Amino acid sequence: MSTVVLASASGAPGVTTTALGLTLAWPRDVLLLDADRSAAHTVLAGYLRGQAPHALGVQGLLQAYRERLPMGEALLANAVALPDAPASRAAEDPSVPDRRFVPGFTHLGSVGLFDGVWGSLLEAGRGSERDLVVDAGRLGPAGLAGELAGGADVIGLVCRTTLVSLAALRLHLPPLVDSGPPGRVGLVLVGPGRPYGAREVADQFGVRVLAEIPWEPKAAADLIEAGSLPRNWSRQGLARSYARTAEQLRAAMIEGLTLPQAAAATTVGAGGAA
């Protein structure tokens, strides 16, 4: 199991929408895990319309960890199929990837307790043919849980290209860059060129732009709120960008990113956006 973590340094740039879009386009079996510490339940309430058993999700994973149950089995047992995704058709066509969702926290008191679960969860997934997409939401002062930050194959900070969205990167990027091998951390830009371009942002912060997601608010709302994808969804620009990004991130997991550590260290702490 390869793991990609998506998070934001500030604001609401579209982490959850991007994570869901990528999961629906992922090229092989995948789980989307809602680890947003704010417990917003955006996918559960929006895309799934609340149609998921209350007992399933990260609370079930925490219980399995406490009872020392096999975490790989617990991960699948606490996931639900994503409607309108190939997951719902996988039984008819085994070649179609199976795509599922693990709902988020139902008790705020469990948020801090879950930090200790990540090591066992990632260890149990090693060797699995199923990838894991983690929606970590907004990082906040605590940042990512240490074992998640250190064990992820790719960490993508989702941000818009406004000065306000980019300003917080200089606080949150250095700890993530230092948490593991060089090159794992990059940016997922939502709305490139509004106003800063991908090259400007990458040069300023010294990390790679992993992907560029077009600014299409209506299509994003259709995905996260409609509960059912439009018939022409796969032909829309946003859907095509998710498919392209999924392939790019999957390639990054396999091949590894090669940004020299020295280059990142010289620029990652710079302030401002341009």
Side-chain angles (χ1 to χ4, degrees):
M1 178 178 74
S2 296
T3 302
V4 56
V5 177
L6 298 179
S8 70
S10 66
V15 176
T16 297
T17 306
T18 301
L20 176 60
L22 291 179
T23 300
L24 296 176
W26 204 255
R28 71 174 196 163
D29 292 356
V30 64
L31 281 167
L32 169 60
L33 193 155
D34 181 359
D36 188 339
R37 296 179 180 185
S38 71
H41 296 295
T42 304
V43 173
L44 182 61
Y47 188 80
L48 289 177
R49 296 296 192 198
Q51 302 301 310
H54 182 75
L56 297 184
V58 295
Q59 301 293 153
L61 295 179
L62 181 57
Q63 186 65 28
Y65 175 74
R66 288 170 169 168
E67 297 177 4
R68 300 185 179 181
L69 299 176
M71 291 305 294
E73 296 177 11
L75 191 56
L76 282 176
N78 282 279
V80 297
L82 288 169
D84 289 329
S88 61
R89 302 192 297 274
E92 302 172 16
D93 184 358
S95 67
V96 175
D98 181 61
R99 297 164 183 165
R100 299 180 178 272
F101 173 67
V102 180
F105 297 102
T106 55
H107 302 288
L108 291 178
S110 301
V111 173
L113 299 176
F114 199 80
D115 286 357
V117 179
W118 287 112
S120 297
L121 194 61
L122 297 179
E123 178 65 29
R126 291 198 179 112
S128 170
E129 293 300 315
R130 184 184 298 269
D131 292 329
L132 179 65
V133 176
V134 178
D135 173 6
R138 185 172 177 176
L139 291 175
L144 287 181
E147 289 183 297
L148 176 59
D153 295 282
V154 173
I155 300 173
L157 282 183
V158 181
C159 61
R160 298 181 188 175
T161 61
T162 64
L163 188 60
V164 171
S165 184
L166 293 171
L169 290 179
R170 65 187 179 89
L171 297 177
H172 290 280
L173 269 172
L176 292 176
V177 170
D178 293 341
S179 66
R184 295 180 315 136
V185 180
L187 303 177
V188 177
L189 299 183
V190 178
R194 295 172 52 90
Y196 299 108
R199 178 171 295 181
E200 291 177 279
V201 176
D203 288 346
Q204 178 65 32
F205 291 99
V207 293
R208 181 173 300 197
V209 172
L210 296 170
E212 301 176 52
I213 307 296
W215 179 255
E216 296 186 7
K218 184 182 183 305
D222 286 342
L223 172 62
I224 205 69
E225 297 175 5
S228 180
L229 295 177
R231 289 184 178 273
N232 66 340
W233 167 253
S234 63
R235 298 191 298 274
Q236 295 184 28
L238 187 62
R240 292 198 302 271
S241 79
Y242 287 143
R244 183 169 59 251
T245 298
E247 292 287 353
Q248 290 169 341
L249 291 177
R250 180 63 193 148
M253 290 174 172
I254 296 171
E255 300 168 7
L257 301 177
T258 57
L259 181 66
Q261 188 172 20
T266 60
T267 57
V268 75

